[in-house]
């Protein structure tokens, strides 16, 4: 059981380049999330999805786009990378068992450097 | 979403019990209190969750007073491998934005 898998694990981009980060989960979870984590800080929510075909903005959505065409996949796109987007990106998924009773499972992260 | 406040950092020695307190004054009736642990270069992982009183699992205990405005994560007899950042979250029925992580508490376990 792989859980949440992020691809790639590392990437270096030049300013202005584009890329897509892939998150795949095999737990049939409805909810998926993309976070970024900067050094010494907590995680900040970029975008999230409450089901296949739906997406919504989180705390820091500017400069990112997402898509959830299949339930198991959640893609994060950077159309024109900027140095300020240098960060570690985490994907997570969760299932709600009842109100409040839910657990998020995280991937191992993607370390992105924009030069 | 209920806002949480917890200490930025704590130091402890191996073999000691560590208690990390989190305040969440505006917790709602349906909200649960959840703690996550994050090691360097890894994603957070679930430790424990509770609604009221005391919850214990193989990793930790969670104490929640009757008013539920605070909670305490207790780690018994910590070891060096417990050095990590610990996040307190209040999780409710805002399904899409349930997992809001603050800066957490950076626990350093010393030999």
């Amino acid at each position: 059981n792989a859980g949440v898998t992020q691809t790639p694990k590392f990437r270096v981009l030049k300013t202005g380049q584009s890329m897509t980060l892939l998150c795949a989960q095999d737990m049939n979870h409805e909810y998926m999330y993309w976070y970024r984590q900067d050094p010494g800080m907590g995680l900040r929510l970029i975008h999230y999805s409450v089901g296949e075909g739906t997406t919504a903005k989180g705390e820091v959505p500017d400069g990112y786009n997402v898509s959830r065409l299949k339930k198991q996949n959640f893609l994060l796109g950077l159309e024109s990378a900027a140095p300020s987007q240098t960060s570690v990106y985490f994907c997570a998924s969760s299932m709600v068992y009842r109100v409040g009773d839910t657990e998020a499972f995280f991937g191992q992260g993607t370390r992105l450097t924009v030069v | 979403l209920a806002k949480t406040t917890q200490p930025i950092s704590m130091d402890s020695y191996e073999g000691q019990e560590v208690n990390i307190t989190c305040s969440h004054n505006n917790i709602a009736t349906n909200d649960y209190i959840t703690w996550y642990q994050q090691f360097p270069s890894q994603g957070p992982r679930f430790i424990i969750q509770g609604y009221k009183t005391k919850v214990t699992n193989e990793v930790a205990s969670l104490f929640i007073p009757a008013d539920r405005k605070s909670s305490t994560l207790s780690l018994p007899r910590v070891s060096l491998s417990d050095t990590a950042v610990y996040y307190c979250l209040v999780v409710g029925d805002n399904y899409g934005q349930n997992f809001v992580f603050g800066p957490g508490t950076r626990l350093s376990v010393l030999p």
Side-chain angles (χ1 to χ4, degrees), chain A:
Chain A
N1 193 345
V4 178
T5 303
Q6 293 183 229
T7 309
K9 291 184 171 49
F10 303 94
R11 184 72 186 268
V12 178
L13 283 181
K14 293 183 179 179
T15 297
Q17 286 185 319
S18 64
M19 79 163 294
T20 300
L21 282 67
L22 171 64
C23 177
Q25 54 97 1
D26 60 3
M27 296 172 282
N28 201 34
H29 285 170
E30 289 294 333
Y31 304 94
M32 297 189 73
Y33 315 81
W34 274 108
Y35 294 88
R36 62 176 288 173
Q37 185 172 37
D38 299 314
M41 298 182 67
L43 287 79
R44 291 186 290 171
L45 182 65
I46 305 172
H47 285 281
Y48 63 95
S49 168
V50 300
E52 181 179 316
T54 73
T55 63
K57 295 179 180 180
E59 302 172 73
V60 288
D62 294 342
Y64 305 94
N65 56 75
V66 288
S67 65
R68 182 105 180 262
L69 299 180
K70 293 182 179 180
K71 186 177 183 179
Q72 64 268 34
N73 296 336
F74 196 26
L75 279 64
L76 177 70
L78 286 74
E79 289 187 348
S80 179
S84 61
Q85 295 177 305
T86 294
S87 190
V88 179
Y89 291 84
F90 288 101
C91 175
S93 70
S94 70
M95 177 71 81
V96 177
Y97 305 106
R98 57 178 182 266
V99 173
D101 185 7
T102 179
E103 176 182 343
F105 294 82
F106 284 81
Q108 286 299 97
T110 296
R111 187 173 297 275
L112 175 67
T113 302
V114 182
V115 298

